[in-house]
């Protein structure tokens, strides 16, 4: 019986290794690319087909149709939602612990996006209309998809909170 036990143990380890490998393969299928530039490019291309390849489960929402996204460009809760004339937008958000961290996240989003898109895209940074935040809009003459990063302040329980939003989609 002592000879059977090691064989059973080896079999169990092999089965466990197979399960771990299947999980890894499954995760790779959900996240087909890992570099930010590849993700941005994939999202721009997906926007031309209403993000069909990026949608997962539909989320209940009152005024829009909303889906969870297959992967997150930033943060951990990216979504795709309808906006206006049935246009779809990919959206991510990251809550910062303070204003300084939010500014760093926002500046990084601008820098990485500009680097990934290249010189053929235009970047315009301006103050947001309804708050004291900032917005950078990336546009391209031959591309219908816009990309933007937003630095947004809000008041929560007598405290200022900062959030960075990242959007891909919408038309000019």
């Amino acid at each position: 019986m002592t000879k059977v036990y090691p064989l059973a143990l080896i079999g169990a380890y092999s089965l466990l290794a197979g399960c771990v490998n299947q999980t890894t393969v499954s995760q790779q299928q959900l996240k087909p690319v890992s570099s930010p530039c590849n993700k941005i490019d994939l999202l721009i291309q997906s926007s031309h087909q209403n993000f069909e390849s990026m949608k997962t489960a539909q989320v209940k929402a009152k005024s829009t149709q909303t889906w969870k996204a297959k992967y997150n460009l930033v943060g951990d809760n990216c979504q795709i939602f309808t906006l206006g004339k049935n246009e779809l937008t990919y959206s991510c958000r990251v809550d910062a612990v303070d204003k300084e961290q939010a500014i760093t996240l926002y500046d990084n989003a601008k820098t990485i996006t500009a680097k990934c898109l290249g010189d053929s895209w235009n970047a315009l940074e301006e103050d947001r209309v309804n708050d004291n935040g900032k917005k950078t809009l990336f546009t391209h003459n031959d591309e219908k998809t816009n990309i933007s990063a937003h630095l947004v302040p809000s008041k929560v329980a007598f405290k200022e909170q900062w959030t960075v939003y990242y959007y891909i989609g919408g038309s000019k």
Side-chain angles (χ1 to χ4, degrees):
M1 189 132 125
T2 57
K3 291 184 180 185
V4 174
Y5 181 73
L7 290 176
L9 195 55
I10 290 170
Y13 283 139
S14 297
L15 183 61
L16 182 59
C19 292
V20 170
N21 189 35
Q22 288 298 322
T23 302
T24 303
V25 169
S26 158
Q27 288 172 344
Q28 288 170 350
Q29 289 172 351
L30 286 176
K31 297 182 181 184
V33 293
S34 58
S35 91
C37 294
N38 288 341
K39 286 181 181 181
I40 290 170
D41 186 52
L42 183 64
L43 285 162
I44 291 170
Q45 297 310 312
S46 181
S47 74
H48 299 161
Q49 288 83 36
N50 289 324
F51 297 102
E52 288 302 323
S53 63
M54 295 293 135
K55 295 177 186 173
T56 62
Q58 191 162 4
V59 177
K60 285 195 171 213
K62 288 183 181 182
S63 59
T64 65
Q65 286 188 314
T66 305
W67 296 265
K68 290 182 179 182
K70 278 190 180 176
Y71 67 81
N72 301 305
L73 185 59
V74 296
D76 59 1
N77 191 25
C78 296
Q79 297 182 335
I80 298 161
F81 63 91
T82 56
L83 182 66
K85 309 170 217 161
N86 256 355
E87 294 176 357
L88 294 174
T89 299
Y90 174 91
S91 171
C92 298
R93 70 179 266 176
V94 177
D95 294 322
V97 287
D98 57 26
K99 183 178 181 178
E100 291 74 28
Q101 182 191 36
I103 291 170
T104 299
L105 291 168
Y106 173 71
D107 288 342
N108 286 343
K110 291 186 316 182
T111 301
I112 291 169
T113 302
K115 177 184 168 228
C116 292
L117 295 176
D119 294 335
S120 63
W121 285 72
N122 300 309
L124 173 64
E125 183 175 66
E126 57 190 11
D127 292 335
R128 287 176 40 94
V129 176
N130 296 322
D131 53 46
N132 293 327
K134 295 275 187 195
K135 169 187 172 182
T136 300
L137 178 64
F138 295 89
T139 60
H140 188 284
N141 290 337
D142 298 330
E143 178 62 55
K144 69 176 188 170
T145 300
N146 292 324
I147 299 173
S148 62
H150 297 252
L151 175 64
V152 182
S154 59
K155 293 282 186 188
V156 178
F158 307 107
K159 177 181 155 189
E160 191 171 57
Q161 179 177 332
W162 290 85
T163 304
V164 176
Y165 290 89
Y166 197 84
Y167 298 104
I168 296 177
S171 59
K172 295 178 184 174

